[in-house]
Amino acid sequence: MEESGIRLETKLIHAGAPENPIEGAVSMPVFQSSTFLYCGQGSYHDLKYIRLNNTPNHVLLHRKLAALENAEAALVTASGMAAISAVFLAFLSPGDHFLAQECLYGGTHGFITKDLAGLGISCDFFDGDDPDSWENLLRRETRVMYVETMTNPLLGVADLQAVADFSKAHGLISIIDNTFASPVNFRPPEWGYDLSLHSGTKYLNGHSDIVAGAVIGRGELVEKVTHTLNHLGGSLDPHACFLLDRGLKTLAVRMRYQNDSALEIARFLEAHPKIENVNYPGLESHPRHQRARDLFDGFSGMLSFEMTGGVEAAERFIGNVKIPFVAPSLGGVESLITRPATTSHSGMPPRDREALGISDTLIRFSVGLEATDDLIADFDQALKK
Ligand code: PLP
């Protein structure tokens, strides 16, 4: 279908679907076939095979994800980390150097500091708020600049426009992990980013029942990542493709509800005497609130906070909430609560966590689709205990 001028909500339902529904099915069937008949393809990457991420279920998602961020191309992967690792390995070779934002998802941080460093690929971490400091970090062998839309778990918002502009000016590939925002709140290609990555496990799927990832952006770069991924083998199973597409159809309604709910909960927490600070870009008190307003259509369903009383009080609070599940991950229909020091960032050395401001008492909350008032009442009772 013609996609220009079509709004995101409509793309979520229809973009990428076959022109003529297969056997009249309004829902894309699952093509659970590892291999497909040879039709004279001249290139290895054009053979139809699940590991090459090119079955009809993959193709639908590639078209849909590209349409959602108004990009040239997209690729689905076996997980968010498969997307991240394939992208780094596609563009960096031993001896190369790149720049990455200081505060990142723990898995990404570990991949950079352990795996890539082990391959002889070096990184300097940059302060996303201080563009004047970036030039000093450049080397002749610098190739990539990497950032997160809203940092995990502190919800910082770097000068994202400056990152895209700086990358362009210095011939670097700009890459952004857009997991926390989702295409509903932010579309990186519109701001000049070369590649946008997602853990599709989170908001894109939204139901905490698969792991998946995505790479979205410029056609020739996505093709290069595809070839690397074809060799690494991080393809998405067709049934997971089906579930990801099903989840995507409700992304806009879920995300907007979660945006609104998170803001109300952040406001409740900010006003509570037992809460020391709340990290949420939608709050006027967030140090980069105006920047977030300029960049985003919504502020996401993620927030983090610290309470008085140290780790013991934080653990007691988490133990006393009744509605959210105490679990890592995020972006699902069910609220999830966790202490990043024990889960998403437990692989990061404590001194690195401390330097970034990820304290042992920090609590991260992923707002689900439960009634906002019920979540606030639940937090209120748990804070009283
Ligand atoms: N990026 C961010 C911001 C994440 O929070 C995560 C996981 O929590 C990932 C990437 C990795 O995603 P996955 O678990 O799907 O590999």
Side-chain angles (χ1 to χ4, degrees), residues 78-82 84 105 107-108 146 148 150 152 177 179-180 198-202 210-213 329-330 344 364:
S79 66
M81 280 312 298
I84 291 165
Y105 164 59
T108 309
Y146 187 92
E148 289 182 359
M150 299 171 195
N152 183 358
D177 182 333
T179 300
F180 268 37
H198 288 268
S199 167
T201 314
K202 315 296 194 294
I210 58 165
V211 283
S329 200
L330 60 109
S344 58
R364 193 187 73 181

Side-chain angles (χ1 to χ4, degrees), residues 19-169:
E19 195 102 340
N20 298 309
I22 294 158
E23 294 289 331
V26 299
S27 188
M28 179 71 163
V30 184
F31 284 77
Q32 199 72 47
S33 180
S34 61
T35 190
F36 290 69
L37 297 181
Y38 177 69
C39 310
Q41 292 95 331
S43 150
Y44 167 76
H45 296 287
D46 293 334
L47 298 172
K48 230 173 225 188
Y49 186 60
I50 288 178
R51 177 167 52 74
L52 304 180
N53 264 299
N54 57 10
T55 75
N57 296 98
H58 296 102
V59 171
L60 181 154
L61 281 170
H62 295 165
R63 292 199 194 122
K64 180 171 286 189
L65 290 165
L68 293 180
E69 292 197 351
N70 295 315
E72 290 172 7
L75 167 71
V76 284
T77 62
S79 66
M81 280 312 298
I84 291 165
S85 53
V87 162
F88 277 122
L89 292 173
F91 300 112
L92 296 167
S93 307
D96 284 345
H97 170 258
F98 67 102
L99 304 177
Q101 188 179 11
E102 283 166 343
C103 184
L104 294 171
Y105 164 59
T108 309
H109 189 271
F111 183 70
I112 290 172
T113 53
K114 297 192 182 91
D115 303 287
L116 290 181
L119 291 172
I121 297 167
S122 60
C123 169
D124 272 305
F125 290 99
F126 67 89
D127 178 350
D129 270 335
D130 188 9
D132 290 343
S133 65
W134 302 345
E135 196 139 359
N136 278 340
L137 301 174
L138 284 176
R139 299 187 202 162
R140 214 157 6 110
E141 55 275 15
T142 310
R143 305 272 174 264
V144 159
M145 198 162 185
Y146 187 92
V147 72
E148 289 182 359
T149 312
M150 299 171 195
T151 61
N152 183 358
L154 293 173
L155 283 303
V157 181
D159 193 340
L160 299 180
Q161 183 65 78
V163 170
D165 293 346
F166 182 88
S167 298
K168 195 153 286 168

